[in-house]
Amino acid sequence: MQVDPKRLERAFGVVERFVGEGQIPGAVALVGLGEQVYGPRAYGWAALEPKRRPMEVETLFDLASLTKVVATAAIAWRLLDEGVIRLDDRACAFLPGYGAGERGASGAWKGEVTLRHLLTHTSGLAAWEPLAAVPGTPEERFRRLLTYPLQHRPGTRVVYSCLGYILLGRILTVVTGQPLDQLARELIFEPLGMQATGFCPPEAVRARTAATEHAPDLGRILEGIVHDENARALGGVAGNAGLFGTAADLARFAQEVLKALRGEEALWSPAVMALATRSLTPGMEEERGLGWQLSGGRPFSPAGDLFSPRSFGHTGFTGTSLWIDPDRELYAILLTNRVHPSRENQAHLRLRPLFHNGVAAAVLA
């Protein structure tokens, strides 16, 4: 495989155009093909308010729901490899009493929830509830999550659930006895050399983070503070969101995933990565692997129209995305601050597939 330089420039040009037209404040884009890396390229502004800051290739982004796959699911893959957990372990084995004493079907269903359900968004939990509105400490807010009823029986529907990944993140800490941020650092980020990636950036580096939204509860634009309200209410470290990172670090992660899929020595086994990138939700609302969203050639995929049907990836609410095409040994990273200064901006929904179409078109057999 090789890249047509002119076509690749057109792909990057799509991002540059969206920024130039003011559809998004700024972006960092990176493409990888095999061992070749193109970028990162920085465009536009890391912040418009309270003062303008230019985007840089090393700008830290609030990765939002990329946390689910780059941290939470990635930890679960390691623990599966090491014989610490199995997919059919029940949540109540790690959270004693989960569902016990609850009346009706929901209470009985909670006893059926497994790690497989949580990883594939088939747990039956609602997509979202405002944990930030629950008074008290982060621990008291998490305890409230345990009381939320299931919306349907586990394993019957795909409902993308931040709540499910918060629950999964806690289970991983229970089974290992380590905080989630420490687990991610020791099991994923340090081995891969992802030095800029982590939760709760220290004050010293917040000045180089891409700004997100104005937070009414804090009365200011968020810079280096997690945008997701529930993750923020849980102290900034949660299984659904809270991770900050750079395009270059995400490239290291994508390269390691592809190494595992090629059967090479990698952080995860070929067996677990093959399972993680296979559809485990056939016939349901969308195709999900262990953490990954799968393209499956379906319409309206963030991957666009030209990535292979076996491609997989994930997106984040702040405007971030990582997409991998194993058939071409191709990956594309697009980080934007589309929620700055307001989440009303939806331009990223069109930008992603247009960029990915251009990237796929640039690959020559």
Side-chain angles (χ1 to χ4, degrees):
M1 296 284 186
Q2 58 183 336
V3 161
D4 180 327
K6 291 183 179 179
R7 288 187 182 273
L8 185 60
E9 287 304 316
R10 289 177 196 154
F12 283 122
V14 173
V15 182
E16 187 174 22
R17 172 166 59 86
F18 268 64
V19 173
E21 293 174 351
Q23 296 193 59
I24 54 172
V28 174
L30 181 150
V31 174
L33 181 68
E35 297 181 357
Q36 298 298 313
V37 179
Y38 304 89
R41 306 271 191 94
Y43 305 95
W45 302 96
L48 299 173
E49 303 174 15
K51 63 179 181 179
R52 291 198 168 208
R53 283 190 292 112
M55 191 70 77
E56 299 177 355
V57 295
E58 295 181 351
T59 294
L60 272 172
F61 282 80
D62 180 337
L63 298 178
S65 283
L66 286 185
T67 303
K68 292 181 174 72
V69 68
V70 177
T72 312
I75 293 167
W77 304 335
R78 286 291 309 267
L79 298 182
L80 282 166
D81 272 338
E82 294 170 8
V84 177
I85 60 173
R86 61 173 187 162
L87 291 180
D88 294 324
D89 282 339
R90 294 176 185 261
C92 60
F94 308 105
L95 303 170
Y98 183 54
E102 292 187 31
R103 296 181 179 178
S106 175
W109 291 344
K110 283 184 177 180
E112 300 176 7
V113 175
T114 65
L115 302 190
R116 182 191 304 270
H117 295 139
L118 294 169
L119 280 159
T120 59
H121 295 282
T122 57
S123 68
L125 278 161
W128 186 83
E129 291 286 349
L131 290 175
V134 176
T137 64
E139 182 60 27
E140 288 169 328
R141 292 171 180 138
F142 176 77
R143 292 293 167 187
R144 177 66 66 87
L145 167 59
L146 298 179
T147 70
Y148 291 151
L150 300 189
Q151 305 298 305
H152 55 268
R153 189 167 191 170
T156 61
R157 290 188 59 195
V158 173
V159 174
Y160 179 78
S161 176
C162 286
L163 302 181
Y165 265 74
I166 293 172
L167 198 66
L168 176 61
R170 173 58 67 93
I171 289 171
L172 297 177
T173 69
V174 169
V175 76
T176 62
Q178 293 179 272
L180 190 67
D181 53 346
Q182 182 179 330
L183 273 175
R185 184 174 64 252
E186 293 181 0
L187 295 184
I188 311 300
F189 307 146
E190 288 182 352
L192 295 184
M194 298 170 65
Q195 298 180 355
T197 302
F199 294 87
C200 300
E203 191 71 38
V205 303
R206 289 182 183 176
R208 65 182 185 92
T209 61
T212 57
E213 197 169 19
H214 181 272
D217 58 325
L218 298 179
R220 61 177 174 133
I221 292 287
L222 295 175
E223 294 178 295
I225 299 173
V226 60
H227 175 266
D228 182 88
E229 294 91 341
N230 283 347
R232 195 158 73 242
L234 293 171
V237 180
N240 71 310
L243 201 61
F244 286 76
T246 63
D249 273 7
L250 290 177
R252 294 182 178 92
F253 185 87
Q255 290 161 2
E256 197 74 5
V257 169
L258 286 170
K259 281 175 62 178
L261 287 173
R262 289 196 298 266
E264 299 175 8
E265 182 178 350
L267 192 62
W268 308 281
S269 71
V272 80
M273 196 54 63
L275 182 63
T277 57
R278 193 176 81 214
S279 177
L280 302 177
T281 58
M284 297 189 196
E285 287 80 0
E286 60 177 305
E287 293 188 68
R288 286 274 171 182
L290 299 179
W292 296 111
Q293 177 185 2
L294 309 184
S295 169
R298 292 192 176 190
F300 303 108
S301 169
D305 310 296
L306 303 181
F307 268 54
S308 79
R310 291 205 312 130
S311 66
F312 54 89
H314 213 286
T315 61
F317 187 81
T318 51
T320 57
S321 67
L322 163 63
W323 213 266
I324 300 174
D325 184 340
D327 289 349
R328 296 184 174 97
E329 294 277 313
L330 173 69
Y331 58 91
I333 295 159
L334 179 60
L335 305 180
T336 81
N337 51 349
R338 71 95 187 173
V339 295
H340 178 63
S342 167
R343 70 182 66 192
E344 300 305 315
N345 181 5
Q346 301 294 315
H348 64 300
L349 298 178
R350 180 167 171 77
L351 170 59
R352 284 171 180 156
L354 291 176
F355 174 61
H356 290 141
N357 280 351
V359 168
V363 178
L364 305 174

